[in-house]
Structures are given as C-alpha cells and as structure tokens.
Amino acid sequence: MTTSSIDHPKDLPIAGTVIGENYEGWTEDIKKEFDELASDGHVGSQLLFENHRVRVWEIRLVPGQRWHAHQHALDYFWTAITAGRSRQRTYDGTTREVSYSPGDTRFYSFGPGESLLHDLENVGDTELVFSTVELLESANPPLP
C-alpha cells in the first residue's frame, strides 16, 4: 500500500475496539481501494450544505453497506443520528468495530499535512445515519 506518504496523527482518538491489525482480513480489492482513493474527500454519501465556513455531510448505510475509503484532512466532527454498529479499516491496517448510540459525537483536529484515511461498513442490523461537519477554516485545504 502506498498510503504511507500521508501524514497521520499518532495520537488520533479513533473510536472503537481493535479487532484486527496488519491488514488482517482485508481483501486485495480493499487494499487497492485505499491506494486509489487516498485523496478522496467525499466524507459522506450526500453533501447537505456548504458555505465559506463549513461542509455538512450525511452518510446513510443500510445493514451490510460500506462507504468507500476516504480521507479527512479538515477538522471535523461526526454525530450518530441512529444507533448501530460499524466496522472501519484505517490507513495503518487496523480494523475496529464501533457501537453507536444516537447523539454520540466525536471531534477530530489535524495539523498541517495530517489526515485520516478510513472506510466505514455497517455490520449491524439497523440503518446507520451520521452527520459530519467539516470546518473549512482548518490547517489543511479542502480535498476535492
């Protein structure tokens, strides 16, 4: 994987419980996707609002659905709208499972050149809905 050229914060408080390391369980297609989409800034399935200060995204995943690898370079926060469970793979070959309750919120901040590359898969039996807000006045420029 070539994503090692991306500078990822060492102390990023990523949600969830580690269930795999060193790309354990990753298919070759997923590894390839992480390389190909390392600069993809579509952090949600629908852009709901954008102005000169923020971008507001929604992501909806039915059970079994997966949102592709994407990179967060802007400071942002997400809020879970519904309860559920996800699996997410991150740039370093780690896989985590996360349980959400409505209202769960987490904030991430990145220094110049830092980012987070991950995917998101609904492994629960209910639809997962999140709102993600990117702050355009961050240390990094917005990704396309």
Side-chain angles (χ1 to χ4, degrees), residues 101-118:
S101 296
D104 285 353
T105 300
R106 190 163 290 221
F107 178 80
Y108 296 90
S109 182
F110 301 101
E114 294 180 335
S115 64
L116 170 63
L117 178 63
H118 75 106

Side-chain angles (χ1 to χ4, degrees), residues 19-86:
I19 63 164
E21 297 180 303
N22 300 314
Y23 305 97
E24 175 186 0
W26 290 38
T27 66
E28 289 304 314
D29 286 343
I30 288 176
K31 291 177 187 178
K32 182 178 177 185
E33 177 186 290
F34 267 69
D35 282 339
E36 291 174 351
L37 298 178
S39 296
D40 188 305
H42 292 92
V43 302
S45 48
Q46 183 177 1
L47 181 61
L48 300 176
F49 176 81
E50 181 174 5
N51 67 15
H52 67 286
R53 299 191 66 184
V54 299
R55 283 185 194 158
V56 180
W57 296 87
E58 177 184 70
I59 188 164
R60 289 179 170 272
L61 298 172
V62 297
Q65 189 176 10
R66 184 176 159 270
W67 186 248
H68 61 75
H70 56 279
Q71 184 182 160
H72 294 274
L74 299 172
D75 296 346
Y76 77 101
F77 65 90
W78 57 257
T79 298
I81 307 303
T82 60
R85 289 185 24 243
S86 77

